[in-house]
Amino acid sequence: MMKDNNLVRHLDACETMGNATAICSDKTGTLTTNRMTVVQSFICGECHLRHVVQQTMTLADAGNHQKVLPKYEDLPPSVAELIVQGISINSAYTSRVLPPDNPGDNPKQVGNKTECALLGFVGEMGRDYQTLREHTPEEKLYKVYTFNSVRKSMSTIIQLPGGGFRLYTKGASEIILSKCSYIYGRDGKLERFGKDDQVRLVRRVIEPMAMDGLRTICIAYKDYVRETPSDPNQFQFDIEPNWDQEDAIVRELTCLCVVGIEDPVRPEVPDAIKKCQRSGITVRMVTGDNINTARSIAMKCGIIRPGEDFLVLEGKEFNKRIRDATGEVQQELLDKVWPRLRVLARSSPQDKYTLVKGIIDSKLSANREVVAVTGDGTNDGPALKKADVGFAMGIAGTDVAKEASDIILTDDNFTSIVKAVMWGRNVYDSIAKFLQFQLTVNVVAVIVAFVGACAIEDSPLKAVQMLWVNLIMDTLASLALATELPTPDLLLRKPYGRTKPLISRTMMKNILGHAAYQLLVIFTLLFLGHDFLDIDTGLGAKLHSDPSQHFTVIFNTFVMMTLFNEINARKIHGERNIFEGLLTNPIFYSIILVTLAAQVPPS
């Protein structure tokens, strides 16, 4: 499993994952490549694309041609400088874009990928973010409101040379725009930005970006000055504001730009999700992104498909549907939502925990749902703990998330979860295969010993021979059957269910059928074999005497039938072709050959 990028922390999670019926997956980095790039922008009333492909509606009017992403000199100088500073300074200084290791490769993104996309945008504008950071090092930042999943924004305050302060903010576009009172229009002209303008901008610019699967980020700022304001967006103060009151500080902002960040779906993910759905596993996306962005990505991945009955909800709507008048989560309300829910957008880690707990506690299914969850943040810890199997991200995951998980995905890739499902089912099948083989051997050996003791007052299988079968053949057989590698066929059937017996009806038929066949052959040889083989009978031998030629034939026949039953035991679901894939496991056929050779007596 480690070779398949699954670092297993708790061994029981392997088998549990084979029984999973639901996967609640993150979007960024798991379903997508986590290689983010700014591909669209809205600045000074105009839309810009990385490539000019079509016309679109802008805030100013509906007939302007889109332009390519702007350079610094293409924008009004004051606006361009504010955008560059707002991105360079109001980002974690650990986020960087480095030159590629090899010519022709993409630049390396280190740190937060969204911030790396914005820093790359600064580079494409023709400016160096590192120069600005050196001019304003971290220790000179006056106040930083770090990003969290509730307000979905980050803000940084710096001191201005004249004694004032400047607030830079970036975050989820619709949330930041709701706090903006001004916006830069054509030619950098400052304009009032009322509620109607906000609705129009969201409808004409942000929603089309989100429908294309883009994450939209808004950059805004606000100045706090002591002297008489020169712009209406500046706030004059005599007594320094209380910077701890974030809600009062981050309001009446000026919107600088809105950018659309593309995070392409991993090419292998749609096929992996299709395999999960075919194998009876429901995949749900739980993300903090805009609902339109989440819906678009879910469509591309195949989580939702046209014509299906599904729900796509935001966190607020989800909570409204599952809570009663007192605000408490009610299981019966949750049971009306989760079976159809496929995408939960603008969600918090608490929403993820509520969803996971609700699915696990539900009594709707005959067998309790087995839920796997992916998470990378510190706040994902409770959901990872509550899930039957918790997957933490090995690259983007925090130490807290990794500690709370059962399996760590070393490549942060959804396809690795599918491989974990295959391994889990393979572990279950390996146990079942050996049980089928071992019970057949034991049923035959016990009946032969019992009937022999009753009929001829001696067992045809001597103690040393039984030890040979149990210690040598069964030990090697368990190793052979346990080393079968998982195959894609494991994903063609539904999960077993938590209450299904380990020995299925098909396995019971195999055990009893092969046992009956072996007993028929052995008893035929025991009572009639000496006649048609024309050898001395061993039926009249004294008790505990050395094995006769007669009984040696019986022992060798029993071992050969057991050896070939080992090949039969590879198939426990009624497959016809027992030799399929036999040569793909060198350990298996090597053990068969070694056991066969060891059974041949020395000359």
Side-chain angles (χ1 to χ4, degrees), residues 5 17 50 70 95 104 183 196 220 311 342-343 396 415 439 540 572 588 595:
N5 301 306
M17 194 60 208
R50 180 168 292 278
S95 297
I183 191 171
D196 292 340
L311 281 177
R342 294 297 179 270
V343 177
T415 55
L439 288 175
I572 57 174
F588 184 89
T595 308

Side-chain angles (χ1 to χ4, degrees), residues 23 25-34 211-213 263-278 281-287 289 292-306 308 310 312 342-343 412-415 417-418:
I23 298 175
S25 174
D26 283 338
K27 177 185 77 69
T28 304
T30 309
L31 301 175
T32 59
T33 61
N34 203 19
M211 294 299 285
D212 286 338
D263 187 10
V265 173
R266 292 180 184 267
E268 66 273 17
V269 162
D271 185 56
I273 288 178
K274 190 180 296 183
K275 290 179 180 177
C276 284
Q277 293 168 339
R278 191 166 55 232
I281 302 173
T282 302
V283 181
R284 296 177 174 87
M285 179 198 294
V286 183
T287 178
D289 276 352
N292 292 319
T293 303
R295 183 187 286 109
S296 175
I297 296 296
M299 289 286 288
K300 293 176 182 177
C301 291
I303 293 175
I304 58 178
R305 288 174 289 192
E308 290 186 343
F310 58 81
V312 177
R342 294 297 179 270
V343 177
D412 293 9
N413 194 335
F414 184 85
T415 55
I417 301 176
V418 179

Side-chain angles (χ1 to χ4, degrees), residues 79-134:
V79 177
E81 188 60 28
L82 286 169
I83 291 173
V84 171
Q85 290 184 1
I87 293 173
S88 303
I89 295 174
N90 187 33
S91 296
Y93 280 30
T94 53
S95 297
R96 293 170 295 156
V97 179
L98 303 177
D101 292 332
N102 301 308
D105 291 348
N106 291 318
K108 294 170 60 177
Q109 295 183 343
V110 179
N112 184 281
K113 302 300 182 180
T114 302
E115 292 181 342
C116 287
L118 294 172
L119 295 173
F121 179 56
V122 170
E124 291 188 9
M125 290 177 67
R127 285 295 182 266
D128 181 16
Y129 69 87
Q130 193 59 41
T131 303
L132 287 171
R133 288 181 170 182
E134 291 172 358

Side-chain angles (χ1 to χ4, degrees), residues 286-580:
V286 183
T287 178
D289 276 352
N290 175 291
I291 189 169
N292 292 319
T293 303
R295 183 187 286 109
S296 175
I297 296 296
M299 289 286 288
K300 293 176 182 177
C301 291
I303 293 175
I304 58 178
R305 288 174 289 192
E308 290 186 343
D309 183 24
F310 58 81
L311 281 177
V312 177
L313 299 177
E314 285 189 325
K316 288 183 179 179
E317 178 64 21
F318 173 71
N319 281 283
K320 190 184 300 182
R321 293 193 182 201
I322 66 172
R323 296 181 186 273
D324 59 16
T326 63
E328 295 295 320
V329 176
Q330 298 298 322
Q331 186 63 47
E332 60 269 20
L333 297 176
L334 192 52
D335 285 343
K336 296 178 181 179
V337 175
W338 73 260
R340 296 169 53 224
L341 183 66
R342 294 297 179 270
V343 177
L344 185 59
R346 283 284 181 252
S347 62
S348 67
Q350 182 60 38
D351 295 335
K352 182 187 286 190
Y353 174 81
T354 302
L355 175 62
V356 172
K357 183 177 184 297
I359 296 175
I360 291 175
D361 292 345
S362 176
K363 301 292 193 298
L364 287 181
S365 305
N367 294 311
R368 179 175 82 73
E369 297 282 317
V370 178
V371 184
V373 172
T374 67
D376 57 5
T378 300
N379 292 338
D380 289 327
L384 291 170
K385 280 285 188 185
K386 182 63 179 176
D388 294 289
V389 181
F391 288 89
M393 302 296 110
I395 299 173
T398 62
D399 290 341
V400 173
K402 293 176 184 177
E403 189 64 29
S405 68
D406 301 295
I407 299 174
I408 297 174
L409 300 178
T410 57
D411 62 348
D412 293 9
N413 194 335
F414 184 85
T415 55
S416 298
I417 301 176
V418 179
K419 291 176 182 175
V421 174
M422 291 172 59
W423 276 107
R425 294 187 175 187
N426 192 63
V427 167
Y428 186 98
D429 278 8
S430 295
I431 296 170
K433 289 173 186 178
F434 180 67
L435 271 180
Q436 176 176 303
F437 172 78
Q438 185 68 41
L439 288 175
T440 304
V441 175
N442 289 348
V443 166
V444 173
V446 168
I447 292 177
V448 168
F450 176 76
V451 171
C454 294
I456 62 174
E457 299 182 352
D458 191 12
S459 172
L461 301 176
K462 302 302 181 182
V464 174
Q465 294 172 339
M466 291 297 293
L467 282 173
W468 166 255
V469 171
N470 284 311
L471 295 179
I472 307 300
M473 284 198 62
D474 292 356
T475 303
L476 292 176
S478 65
L479 179 61
L481 293 170
T483 53
E484 290 279 314
L485 295 175
T487 64
D489 292 343
L490 291 166
L491 297 177
L492 297 179
R493 62 173 186 270
K494 305 298 181 184
Y496 287 113
R498 299 177 67 89
T499 58
K500 185 180 183 298
L502 186 58
I503 301 175
S504 65
R505 294 180 65 181
T506 301
M507 290 172 59
M508 186 60 68
K509 290 177 183 177
N510 293 340
I511 292 168
L512 297 178
H514 211 278
Y517 157 71
Q518 291 189 25
L519 288 171
L520 177 63
V521 173
I522 289 173
F523 286 139
T524 299
L525 289 175
L526 177 62
F527 296 110
L528 304 174
H530 57 281
D531 290 332
F532 60 76
L533 291 177
D534 194 20
I535 56 177
D536 294 335
T537 181
L539 296 177
K542 294 182 180 179
L543 190 63
H544 303 310
S545 61
D546 293 335
S548 63
Q549 185 181 9
H550 183 196
F551 284 3
T552 302
V553 169
I554 294 174
F555 168 66
N556 276 290
T557 303
F558 173 59
V559 169
M560 288 299 106
M561 288 191 296
T562 300
L563 189 61
F564 285 105
N565 188 39
E566 196 173 321
I567 300 176
N568 291 333
R570 294 178 61 251
K571 306 297 181 181
I572 57 174
H573 299 290
E575 297 92 335
R576 296 289 184 183
N577 185 5
I578 61 171
F579 299 104
E580 183 183 1

Side-chain angles (χ1 to χ4, degrees), residues 8-186:
V8 181
R9 298 184 66 249
H10 301 135
L11 287 176
D12 58 338
C14 302
E15 186 180 343
T16 304
M17 194 60 208
N19 239 355
T21 58
I23 298 175
C24 297
S25 174
D26 283 338
K27 177 185 77 69
T28 304
T30 309
L31 301 175
T32 59
T33 61
N34 203 19
R35 169 113 203 140
M36 298 194 180
T37 309
V38 173
V39 295
Q40 292 191 35
S41 67
F42 177 81
I43 306 174
C44 293
E46 292 184 333
C47 283
H48 307 83
L49 286 175
R50 180 168 292 278
H51 302 291
V52 181
V53 293
Q54 60 181 8
Q55 293 180 331
T56 191
M57 300 177 73
T58 67
L59 185 61
D61 58 65
N64 289 314
H65 288 277
Q66 292 180 328
K67 302 177 180 180
V68 294
L69 291 181
K71 298 293 183 183
Y72 185 91
E73 55 272 12
D74 298 332
L75 300 173
S78 59
V79 177
E81 188 60 28
L82 286 169
I83 291 173
V84 171
Q85 290 184 1
I87 293 173
S88 303
I89 295 174
N90 187 33
S91 296
Y93 280 30
T94 53
S95 297
R96 293 170 295 156
V97 179
L98 303 177
D101 292 332
N102 301 308
D105 291 348
N106 291 318
K108 294 170 60 177
Q109 295 183 343
V110 179
N112 184 281
K113 302 300 182 180
T114 302
E115 292 181 342
C116 287
L118 294 172
L119 295 173
F121 179 56
V122 170
E124 291 188 9
M125 290 177 67
R127 285 295 182 266
D128 181 16
Y129 69 87
Q130 193 59 41
T131 303
L132 287 171
R133 288 181 170 182
E134 291 172 358
H135 183 264
T136 310
E138 277 190 284
E139 54 268 20
K140 286 190 177 181
L141 301 179
Y142 194 77
K143 178 75 174 179
V144 176
Y145 303 108
T146 56
F147 178 88
N148 71 33
S149 57
V150 177
R151 63 172 183 270
K152 298 189 182 301
S153 66
M154 173 185 179
S155 303
T156 300
I157 298 173
I158 61 172
Q159 284 188 291
L160 297 173
F165 300 90
R166 176 167 289 166
L167 166 76
Y168 288 114
T169 298
K170 74 172 189 297
S173 54
E174 63 269 33
I175 294 177
I176 300 300
L177 285 173
S178 68
K179 300 178 181 180
C180 289
S181 299
Y182 302 91
I183 191 171
Y184 282 106
R186 293 297 178 85

